[in-house]
């Protein structure tokens, strides 16, 4: 394959940081030839980092993208997103590089009684929507979760 992307079901539900077992396995995937690792399962966001494989390649590891859509009861279970990047393959050398990395947050939105369920880009999530969210999910809380997990490097406009 020109590019190897591993999608892995791992981690512990509702834990906001990658476990040592995830970090170890992510390193193994990179050492075994993965160009990118994308994780899911914890139902909450976890960090994104770039690790170095045994042969010196830089490999992004997205430990958890959170939930895309959900009506779970925890506030953090309603923050998820997309990892966006460019994957460039040098046809002469076969070298793969990942550039222009960005995390695009989404919010699982619903009103009281878990009605009007939909996925909303965080950039479109207003204070008015927050006031009507079935769990009262505020922008301040979401910003804090994004800073503490994914980090400001990957989310545009997050200070």
């Amino acid at each position: 394959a020109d590019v190897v992307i591993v999608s892995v079901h791992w981690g512990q539900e509702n834990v906001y940081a990658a476990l040592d077992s995830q970090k170890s396995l992510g390193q193994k995937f990179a050492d075994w030839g993965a160009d990118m690792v994308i994780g899911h399962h914890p139902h909450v966001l976890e960090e994104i980092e770039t690790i170095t494989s045994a042969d010196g390649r830089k490999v992004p590891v997205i430990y958890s993208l959170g939930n895309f859509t959900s009506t779970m009861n925890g506030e953090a279970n309603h923050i998820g997103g997309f990892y966006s990047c460019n994957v460039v393959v040098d046809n002469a050398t076969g070298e793969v590089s990942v550039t222009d990395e960005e995390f695009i947050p989404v919010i699982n939105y619903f009103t009281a009684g878990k009605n009007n369920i939909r996925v909303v880009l965080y950039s479109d999530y207003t204070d008015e929507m927050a006031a009507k969210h079935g769990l009262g999910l505020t922008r301040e809380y979401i910003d804090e979760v994004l800073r503490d997990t994914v980090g400001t490097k990957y989310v545009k406009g997050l200070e």
Side-chain angles (χ1 to χ4, degrees):
D2 292 332
V3 178
V4 177
I5 300 174
V6 175
S7 175
V8 61
H9 184 263
W10 62 5
Q12 185 174 338
E13 287 190 15
N14 297 313
V15 173
Y16 305 94
L19 304 172
D20 289 343
S21 60
Q22 289 170 266
K23 294 202 175 241
S24 175
L25 190 54
Q27 185 64 55
K28 287 179 183 179
F29 286 139
D31 293 345
W32 294 334
D35 296 300
M36 182 184 306
V37 179
I38 301 175
H40 49 91
H41 170 67
H43 299 286
V44 293
L45 292 173
E46 292 181 344
E47 65 264 40
I48 297 173
E49 68 176 350
T50 300
I51 62 174
T52 303
S53 67
D55 61 2
R57 293 174 299 106
K58 300 296 181 191
V59 177
V61 180
I62 301 88
Y63 288 101
S64 177
L65 291 171
N67 278 344
F68 179 73
T69 186
S70 167
T71 57
M72 295 175 76
N73 289 326
E75 289 179 337
N77 299 127
H78 298 280
I79 307 168
F82 301 99
Y83 173 76
S84 174
C85 66
N86 289 318
V87 177
V88 180
V89 179
D90 182 321
N91 290 325
T93 65
E95 183 178 320
V96 175
S97 59
V98 177
T99 64
D100 303 318
E101 296 173 272
E102 180 183 1
F103 182 79
I104 303 165
V106 297
I107 305 305
N108 297 286
Y109 178 79
F110 54 87
T111 56
K114 297 185 178 176
N115 292 307
N116 305 308
I117 301 168
R118 62 184 185 268
V119 176
V120 177
L121 287 171
Y122 182 50
S123 59
D124 295 338
Y125 189 70
T126 65
D127 289 335
E128 181 181 350
M129 292 176 80
K132 293 179 182 177
H133 191 284
L135 295 176
L137 202 58
T138 66
R139 292 187 58 85
E140 293 79 15
Y141 173 76
I142 296 165
D143 286 351
E144 179 183 336
V145 170
L146 290 170
R147 270 192 226 83
D148 291 349
T149 56
V150 174
T152 57
K153 174 181 177 183
Y154 298 101
V155 182
K156 287 184 180 176
L158 187 64
E159 319 288 351

